[in-house]
Amino acid sequence: MRYFVSMEVILNYFETIPSSHRSIILVGGIAFFWLVEYAAPLFKFDYKKVKHAMPNIFFTLTTIIVNFFLAFILLKTSDWAVTNKFGILQWLTIPLWVTILLGLAILDLIGAWLAHYVQHMVKPLWMFHLIHHTDTYIDTTTANRHHPGESIIRFVFTTLAVFIAGAPVGIIMLYQSLSVILSQFNHANIALPKKLDALISWVIVSPNMHKVHHHQKLPYTDTNYGNIFSIWDRVFGTFSKMKNEDLRYGIDTYPDIDTSTHVVTLLKLPFKGYRAPDGAKLKSKKM
């Protein structure tokens, strides 16, 4: 009984979570993994960490702004689904803990994995997502390196997930909080014991698992799409492994677009159909 009460307390908290608390989760996560990267880095990058973070922080702010102005759509969708008893969670009579876990799974599948997969498969959408892959020094700040257009695309998929799941606000806020923290975690430039990382990757997306997705060449770029749960890549056959020492970050088809590219150029990239000039040399950094 105490267990179910605690789950109710958690859900009630996230139903009314203050904006200040959500900001603490975002900033606190970056600060925590930033420090861990200093203490136990996976790769010793030859870069100025603060300078590298600046464009990524800019894109973090644009993501916050986009989500702030569109949040009412998400809340209205949730309210409608709950009021009209529409959606998978509304049709099932299951314990609260199962409801929360299933809700998180559906939101992660559609709002994260499917959105990510589609952006890799559809060229116009890929051009927005491309900005995320042009970072050649993957660290915890890379997690939020998303073009404003991609933020809108991901929001559409998240809204679809809420509609299909019939997810109440508490589960949505819990999902978004977990999504932020785990994305910062699996992008972080941290060295976990390989056995521990492999064990974690059976449940959630681990750092070593997601780093493969940021390798510069196919087929690895089109694998390991997961954000929270790793099961989706295993189920849909998009799971892959690679030795850390073989990793090269960036995109080989856009050799002169990398970490140091100006923010304005990155913002224009999806609309100009950018192509690398002939003879351009690859700038992706070897680990």
XYZ file of all heavy atoms in Angstrom, residues 179-225:
383
model
N 13.458 12.387 -19.828
C 14.027 12.510 -21.160
C 15.207 13.476 -21.156
O 16.252 13.205 -21.767
C 12.959 12.998 -22.150
O 13.495 13.141 -23.445
N 15.068 14.585 -20.458
C 16.138 15.583 -20.371
C 17.364 14.995 -19.685
O 18.488 15.074 -20.201
C 15.649 16.837 -19.609
C 16.825 17.723 -19.216
C 14.674 17.630 -20.459
N 17.158 14.388 -18.526
C 18.273 13.852 -17.743
C 18.977 12.715 -18.466
O 20.217 12.675 -18.548
C 17.780 13.361 -16.363
C 17.333 14.545 -15.507
C 18.879 12.581 -15.648
C 18.447 15.505 -15.151
N 18.219 11.790 -19.023
C 18.826 10.638 -19.673
C 19.494 11.012 -20.996
O 20.476 10.384 -21.396
C 17.792 9.534 -19.876
C 17.403 8.834 -18.567
C 16.280 7.835 -18.789
C 18.603 8.135 -17.942
N 18.984 12.019 -21.671
C 19.643 12.493 -22.889
C 20.985 13.127 -22.541
O 21.990 12.915 -23.232
C 18.762 13.511 -23.616
O 19.350 13.922 -24.822
N 21.022 13.900 -21.457
C 22.287 14.475 -21.002
C 23.253 13.365 -20.585
O 24.461 13.456 -20.838
C 22.030 15.417 -19.826
C 21.266 16.670 -20.211
C 20.796 17.460 -19.003
O 20.860 16.972 -17.865
N 20.322 18.672 -19.220
N 22.727 12.329 -19.960
C 23.540 11.199 -19.510
C 24.143 10.441 -20.682
O 25.351 10.173 -20.716
C 22.676 10.261 -18.659
C 23.301 8.917 -18.396
C 24.459 8.805 -17.637
C 22.712 7.751 -18.897
C 25.038 7.553 -17.386
C 23.278 6.512 -18.648
C 24.444 6.409 -17.893
N 23.307 10.077 -21.679
C 23.851 9.247 -22.754
C 24.678 10.013 -23.779
O 25.355 9.408 -24.606
C 22.748 8.399 -23.427
C 21.623 9.218 -24.013
O 21.857 10.183 -24.743
N 20.376 8.830 -23.717
N 24.640 11.347 -23.712
C 25.538 12.147 -24.558
C 26.826 12.514 -23.817
O 27.803 12.926 -24.454
C 24.864 13.443 -25.026
C 23.890 13.255 -26.145
N 22.569 12.950 -25.942
C 24.055 13.313 -27.497
C 21.953 12.839 -27.108
N 22.831 13.056 -28.072
N 26.815 12.393 -22.508
C 27.950 12.842 -21.705
C 29.240 12.116 -22.071
O 29.240 10.911 -22.328
C 27.644 12.642 -20.223
N 30.317 12.865 -22.089
C 31.636 12.313 -22.391
C 32.225 11.698 -21.111
O 33.193 12.183 -20.546
C 32.549 13.413 -22.927
C 33.934 12.893 -23.279
O 34.083 11.804 -23.826
N 34.959 13.675 -22.943
N 31.600 10.612 -20.666
C 32.023 9.970 -19.430
C 32.382 8.516 -19.684
O 31.796 7.856 -20.540
C 30.938 10.046 -18.335
C 29.621 9.438 -18.823
C 30.730 11.491 -17.910
C 28.522 9.439 -17.767
N 33.358 8.040 -18.922
C 33.825 6.665 -19.062
C 33.239 5.803 -17.946
O 33.617 5.946 -16.782
C 35.348 6.619 -19.009
N 32.292 4.955 -18.304
C 31.765 3.981 -17.364
C 32.495 2.662 -17.577
O 32.949 2.376 -18.688
C 30.265 3.771 -17.592
C 29.315 4.935 -17.307
C 27.887 4.517 -17.622
C 29.434 5.400 -15.868
N 32.609 1.827 -16.541
C 33.147 0.479 -16.761
C 32.351 -0.210 -17.864
O 31.115 -0.138 -17.879
C 32.937 -0.200 -15.402
C 32.954 0.931 -14.420
C 32.295 2.081 -15.127
N 33.034 -0.847 -18.799
C 32.365 -1.409 -19.971
C 31.262 -2.395 -19.614
O 30.205 -2.420 -20.241
C 33.399 -2.071 -20.892
C 34.306 -1.064 -21.593
C 35.228 -1.740 -22.585
C 36.088 -0.710 -23.308
N 36.997 -1.343 -24.301
N 31.491 -3.216 -18.595
C 30.475 -4.190 -18.194
C 29.247 -3.492 -17.620
O 28.123 -3.914 -17.867
C 31.065 -5.172 -17.184
C 32.078 -6.148 -17.788
C 32.540 -7.173 -16.758
C 33.505 -8.169 -17.398
N 33.984 -9.187 -16.414
N 29.485 -2.420 -16.865
C 28.373 -1.663 -16.311
C 27.582 -0.976 -17.412
O 26.347 -0.992 -17.415
C 28.889 -0.618 -15.315
C 27.831 0.330 -14.721
C 26.767 -0.458 -13.975
C 28.496 1.359 -13.804
N 28.297 -0.365 -18.368
C 27.637 0.296 -19.498
C 26.809 -0.705 -20.295
O 25.668 -0.419 -20.681
C 28.683 0.955 -20.402
C 28.061 1.868 -21.435
O 27.444 1.351 -22.391
O 28.178 3.098 -21.285
N 27.367 -1.891 -20.548
C 26.659 -2.926 -21.304
C 25.421 -3.397 -20.553
O 24.371 -3.647 -21.156
C 27.592 -4.098 -21.573
N 25.538 -3.509 -19.228
C 24.403 -3.937 -18.412
C 23.296 -2.896 -18.441
O 22.115 -3.221 -18.619
C 24.869 -4.183 -16.975
C 23.797 -4.683 -15.991
C 23.267 -6.047 -16.425
C 24.370 -4.750 -14.574
N 23.673 -1.630 -18.286
C 22.704 -0.535 -18.330
C 21.970 -0.509 -19.661
O 20.763 -0.252 -19.723
C 23.419 0.814 -18.094
C 23.913 0.924 -16.653
C 22.497 1.992 -18.433
C 24.760 2.157 -16.391
N 22.706 -0.792 -20.749
C 22.137 -0.687 -22.096
C 21.043 -1.708 -22.380
O 20.380 -1.631 -23.412
C 23.237 -0.817 -23.158
O 23.723 -2.144 -23.228
N 20.846 -2.670 -21.497
C 19.735 -3.608 -21.657
C 18.422 -2.995 -21.185
O 17.345 -3.499 -21.508
C 20.008 -4.905 -20.898
C 20.930 -5.831 -21.620
C 22.270 -6.009 -21.430
C 20.563 -6.709 -22.703
N 22.768 -6.923 -22.308
C 21.748 -7.385 -23.100
C 19.368 -6.984 -23.370
C 21.763 -8.319 -24.138
C 19.381 -7.919 -24.399
C 20.564 -8.568 -24.772
N 18.506 -1.905 -20.439
C 17.297 -1.265 -19.909
C 17.138 0.146 -20.462
O 16.121 0.479 -21.062
C 17.329 -1.218 -18.366
C 16.034 -0.592 -17.832
C 17.523 -2.621 -17.792
N 18.160 0.977 -20.246
C 18.115 2.348 -20.747
C 19.301 2.584 -21.680
O 20.250 1.805 -21.696
C 18.132 3.383 -19.607
C 19.432 3.265 -18.791
C 16.898 3.251 -18.732
C 19.594 4.346 -17.736
N 19.217 3.665 -22.444
C 20.281 4.000 -23.390
C 21.505 4.478 -22.611
O 21.437 5.470 -21.878
C 19.818 5.088 -24.369
C 20.945 5.442 -25.337
C 18.593 4.606 -25.143
N 22.608 3.776 -22.772
C 23.843 4.100 -22.066
C 24.724 5.013 -22.930
O 24.506 5.132 -24.137
C 24.604 2.820 -21.724
O 25.060 2.190 -22.916
N 25.746 5.639 -22.324
C 26.648 6.500 -23.106
C 27.314 5.778 -24.270
O 27.331 6.285 -25.395
C 27.674 6.962 -22.060
C 26.915 6.958 -20.778
C 26.013 5.760 -20.871
N 27.880 4.603 -24.033
C 28.560 3.883 -25.119
C 27.593 3.499 -26.226
O 27.947 3.511 -27.412
C 29.258 2.638 -24.581
C 30.532 2.964 -23.841
O 30.964 4.115 -23.796
N 31.148 1.963 -23.237
N 26.372 3.155 -25.851
C 25.370 2.776 -26.848
C 25.035 3.965 -27.745
O 25.013 3.854 -28.969
C 24.100 2.269 -26.168
C 22.966 1.960 -27.138
S 21.472 1.401 -26.282
C 20.281 1.439 -27.653
N 24.803 5.120 -27.148
C 24.381 6.265 -27.966
C 25.532 6.865 -28.759
O 25.310 7.438 -29.832
C 23.732 7.350 -27.110
C 23.083 8.415 -27.932
N 21.925 8.192 -28.663
C 23.444 9.703 -28.194
C 21.603 9.284 -29.323
N 22.502 10.223 -29.065
N 26.761 6.755 -28.243
C 27.901 7.316 -28.972
C 28.018 6.706 -30.370
O 28.451 7.373 -31.316
C 29.201 7.074 -28.200
C 29.281 7.749 -26.845
C 29.215 9.248 -26.945
C 29.530 9.917 -25.609
N 28.608 9.540 -24.514
N 27.622 5.446 -30.513
C 27.675 4.777 -31.818
C 26.818 5.534 -32.827
O 27.171 5.668 -33.998
C 27.212 3.311 -31.709
C 27.174 2.651 -33.082
C 28.134 2.532 -30.769
N 25.696 6.042 -32.370
C 24.780 6.789 -33.241
C 25.440 8.044 -33.804
O 25.066 8.523 -34.874
C 23.522 7.171 -32.458
C 22.516 7.955 -33.241
N 21.698 7.375 -34.194
C 22.207 9.274 -33.229
C 20.925 8.308 -34.727
N 21.220 9.467 -34.165
N 26.429 8.570 -33.092
C 27.106 9.799 -33.532
C 28.365 9.521 -34.341
O 29.104 10.467 -34.663
C 27.428 10.681 -32.326
C 26.253 11.451 -31.824
N 25.888 12.673 -32.340
C 25.322 11.151 -30.875
C 24.807 13.117 -31.726
N 24.440 12.219 -30.824
N 28.603 8.246 -34.683
C 29.704 7.951 -35.590
C 29.388 8.576 -36.946
O 28.236 8.611 -37.382
C 29.882 6.436 -35.746
C 31.035 6.045 -36.621
N 32.329 6.374 -36.319
C 31.071 5.366 -37.809
C 33.129 5.903 -37.275
N 32.396 5.300 -38.182
N 30.427 9.048 -37.632
C 30.224 9.879 -38.820
C 29.711 9.148 -40.050
O 29.263 9.787 -41.001
C 31.542 10.566 -39.189
C 32.608 9.595 -39.632
C 33.867 10.289 -40.104
O 34.459 9.907 -41.097
N 34.273 11.312 -39.402
N 29.760 7.820 -40.064
C 29.407 7.091 -41.280
C 28.269 6.093 -41.071
O 28.068 5.574 -39.987
C 30.632 6.339 -41.816
C 31.746 7.238 -42.326
C 32.883 6.413 -42.921
C 33.982 7.308 -43.479
N 35.081 6.510 -44.085
N 27.544 5.843 -42.167
C 26.559 4.779 -42.194
C 27.295 3.433 -42.179
O 28.446 3.360 -42.622
C 25.706 4.879 -43.468
C 24.785 6.103 -43.563
C 24.185 6.160 -44.952
C 23.706 6.055 -42.512
N 26.666 2.373 -41.686
C 25.287 2.314 -41.199
C 25.113 2.741 -39.750
O 23.981 2.762 -39.243
C 24.961 0.832 -41.368
C 26.257 0.143 -41.077
C 27.310 1.040 -41.673
N 26.204 3.084 -39.072
C 26.116 3.353 -37.638
C 25.274 4.577 -37.309
O 24.587 4.622 -36.281
C 27.536 3.512 -37.067
C 28.337 2.239 -37.173
C 29.286 2.074 -38.185
C 28.134 1.193 -36.283
C 30.016 0.901 -38.297
C 28.863 0.014 -36.388
C 29.793 -0.124 -37.395
O 30.503 -1.290 -37.507
N 25.314 5.594 -38.178
C 24.510 6.790 -37.944
C 23.024 6.460 -37.867
O 22.273 7.127 -37.145
C 24.739 7.815 -39.079
O 26.136 7.996 -39.263
C 24.100 9.147 -38.734
N 22.603 5.449 -38.596
C 21.200 5.053 -38.615
C 20.920 3.894 -37.665
O 20.172 2.970 -37.982
C 20.780 4.675 -40.041
C 20.666 5.890 -40.947
O 20.661 7.016 -40.429
O 20.583 5.706 -42.180
N 21.532 3.919 -36.490
C 21.268 2.916 -35.459
C 21.180 3.606 -34.098
O 21.493 4.787 -33.965
C 22.386 1.848 -35.394
O 23.627 2.477 -35.029
C 22.555 1.154 -36.746
N 20.725 2.851 -33.110
C 20.678 3.329 -31.723
C 19.964 4.683 -31.588
O 20.527 5.662 -31.119
C 22.091 3.409 -31.143
C 22.766 2.054 -31.076
O 22.214 1.037 -31.498
N 23.970 2.006 -30.538
N 18.693 4.688 -31.997
C 17.895 5.912 -31.974
C 17.319 6.232 -30.600
O 16.800 7.320 -30.383
C 16.713 5.787 -32.943
C 17.081 5.662 -34.399
C 16.975 4.441 -35.062
C 17.527 6.757 -35.123
C 17.296 4.317 -36.409
C 17.851 6.645 -36.469
C 17.733 5.415 -37.108
O 18.052 5.300 -38.440
